[in-house]
Each structure stands twice: as structure tokens, then as C-alpha cells.
Amino acid sequence: MGWRIQLSGNPFGTMVAVTAVVLGVLGLVMGDGVSRGMTNSLAGHANLIAHLWGAMFAAGGALTLYGLYTRRVTLELPGLYLVTGGYAFYCLTVLVGLGSHGLAAGVISGGLTVGSLLKAHAISERARRVQDGASGGTEAVR
């Protein structure tokens, strides 16, 4: 199946994962320069943590994309959990580090956290139903 067909089938999930890769690479390369909120909230440790967060976030986005486009939920699911953690961490550090000045970024990343977690939960539930035979064994995991 071509990537364009896949993209049209899940444009939002694709962009959530692509954004995680882009932000993750920026964090990995730039360290604490990637986010003033992260720098403020993690005083003294922000640089190392930003590099680690970036690596985890980029890896999660890449796994999510790969799993999504190859239809391998065994890769997409751990990727989604890493993406969830990346967005949640960013949400918290922006809100703590910038206070009311970080509300927009915090709310957006908080929403992406919840969305990623809900998608991971939905995939897990469908996989359990298939495994338990509740669907008669014909339902796909996706």
C-alpha cells in the first residue's frame, strides 16, 4: 500500500508522529535550547534531560510512523507510548517553567498526550478482543 494512501487514511496520527520526530531531533541536537520552559523548570539539569527526552521522543515518533505505515502494531504501540511520554513531559515542563505564558503550548501538548494514549489504549483493546476470540477471529487488529 502506497504512503499516500496510508497518509490519507491517518493524516492526524501521521503528523503527531512526524512532529514528535522533528521536536525530538531538535531536543537531541539543541539540548536545553529547544524549550525555555524546559530550561526554567529543570534548572541545572535541563541540557542532559533535553537530550535524553529528544532521543526518546524521536525514537517514539519513528517507531509510530514505521508501525503505522507497515501495519505493525507491535511497533506502533511502543512508539505511541514513547510519544505519549514525550508530549506529557513537554506539557509539564512548559506549564511549570513558563506558567501562564506556556498555557497554549501546554494545552496543545496535553491534548496530544491524551490522544496518543487513547489511540494506544484502543489498539491494545482491539488486540485483546482478537486474542480472546471475541470477534470470531476475523477482525483485524487495526
Side-chain angles (χ1 to χ4, degrees), residues 67-139:
L68 194 65
Y69 281 80
T70 60
R71 296 203 165 279
R72 296 179 132 185
V73 294
T74 54
L75 295 174
E76 183 183 3
L77 195 57
L80 279 169
Y81 284 121
L82 289 171
V83 166
T84 298
Y87 280 121
F89 183 75
Y90 183 71
C91 174
L92 291 173
T93 59
V94 165
L95 290 174
V96 169
L98 298 177
S100 63
H101 296 289
L103 281 176
V107 168
I108 290 168
S109 57
L112 293 171
T113 299
V114 172
S116 298
L117 190 58
L118 289 173
K119 172 132 189 216
H121 179 72
I123 290 170
S124 296
E125 284 299 310
R126 279 180 282 197
R128 267 189 224 100
R129 282 197 309 267
V130 169
Q131 184 179 15
D132 293 342
S135 66
T138 59
E139 182 182 44

Side-chain angles (χ1 to χ4, degrees), residues 23-100:
L23 286 174
V25 168
L26 288 172
L28 185 61
V29 171
M30 295 175 63
D32 62 356
V34 75
S35 168
R36 173 61 54 198
M38 198 177 291
T39 301
N40 292 351
S41 63
L42 300 171
H45 306 288
N47 199 43
L48 174 63
I49 293 172
H51 287 296
L52 295 173
W53 166 79
M56 184 251 338
F57 206 23
L63 272 174
T64 301
L65 282 172
Y66 187 74
L68 194 65
Y69 281 80
T70 60
R71 296 203 165 279
R72 296 179 132 185
V73 294
T74 54
L75 295 174
E76 183 183 3
L77 195 57
L80 279 169
Y81 284 121
L82 289 171
V83 166
T84 298
Y87 280 121
F89 183 75
Y90 183 71
C91 174
L92 291 173
T93 59
V94 165
L95 290 174
V96 169
L98 298 177
S100 63

